[in-house]
């Protein structure tokens, strides 16, 4: 099913983010082969050149490894995946705190709300 994209961020970076989220959440496993460029382009609903750029970006970040003639594979470096996961956590928490601050909530109020919310999870 084609993905919905935001207008304020390049599509290829949104696809990169999606794949990284799938990797750190365990949807895609270490060593797993990603779909071919053409297959993934059809699945996501974008031009194959966009997916080629996505795979190049993932390779540059060492999240994936492309083996000529075999395909693109998720890294088997569990330390790297853990590091990226922690970076994403920090990024999301920082954004959440910033957004809540913009609504007028103090850090103390935010923490209290999260502690109260622990019982809901």
């Amino acid at each position: 099913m084609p993905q919905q994209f935001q207008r304020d961020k390049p599509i290829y970076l949104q696809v990169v983010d999606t794949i990284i989220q799938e990797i750190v959440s365990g949807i895609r496993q270490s060593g797993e082969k990603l779909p071919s460029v053409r297959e993934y382009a059809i699945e996501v609903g974008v031009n194959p050149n966009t997916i080629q750029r996505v795979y190049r970006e993932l390779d540059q970040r060492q999240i994936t490894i492309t083996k000529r003639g075999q395909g693109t594979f998720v890294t088997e470096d569990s330390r790297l995946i853990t590091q990226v996961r922690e970076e994403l956590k920090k990024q999301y928490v920082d954004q959440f705190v910033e957004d809540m601050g913009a609504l007028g909530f103090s850090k103390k109020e935010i923490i209290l709300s999260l502690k109260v919310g622990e019982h809901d999870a």
Side-chain angles (χ1 to χ4, degrees):
M1 184 169 125
Q3 192 171 329
Q4 297 293 323
F5 297 105
Q6 304 165 7
R7 293 177 175 230
D8 61 342
K9 186 173 183 180
I11 290 173
Y12 87 96
L13 288 177
Q14 293 178 60
V15 177
V16 165
D17 289 348
T18 298
I19 293 173
I20 290 173
Q21 288 171 4
E22 291 172 351
I23 292 169
V24 300
S25 68
I27 293 171
R28 294 192 186 274
Q29 302 295 313
S30 293
E32 180 180 332
K33 183 177 180 183
L34 297 180
S36 73
V37 168
R38 291 193 190 282
E39 290 171 342
Y40 201 58
I42 291 168
E43 181 180 325
V44 178
V46 299
N47 188 296
N49 293 332
T50 301
I51 301 303
Q52 188 65 50
R53 188 171 182 185
V54 167
Y55 284 7
R56 259 195 322 269
E57 179 71 21
L58 290 167
D59 278 356
Q60 287 175 349
R61 295 186 191 187
Q62 299 178 333
I63 302 288
T64 61
I65 299 165
T66 298
K67 299 176 183 176
R68 192 170 189 91
Q70 295 180 39
T72 300
F73 300 83
V74 174
T75 183
E76 294 186 24
D77 185 345
S78 60
R79 287 182 298 164
L80 176 64
I81 293 172
T82 299
Q83 176 186 344
V84 170
R85 187 171 189 263
E86 288 300 311
E87 289 169 2
L88 279 177
K89 178 176 70 174
K90 182 182 181 331
Q91 177 185 337
Y92 283 116
V93 168
D94 290 349
Q95 186 63 55
F96 172 74
V97 170
E98 183 181 317
D99 291 346
M100 295 300 285
L103 292 172
F105 292 98
S106 69
K107 288 185 181 180
K108 186 175 182 178
E109 288 176 303
I110 296 168
I111 292 168
L112 182 60
S113 294
L114 291 172
K115 285 183 178 180
V116 170
E118 285 179 349
H119 305 292
D120 299 334

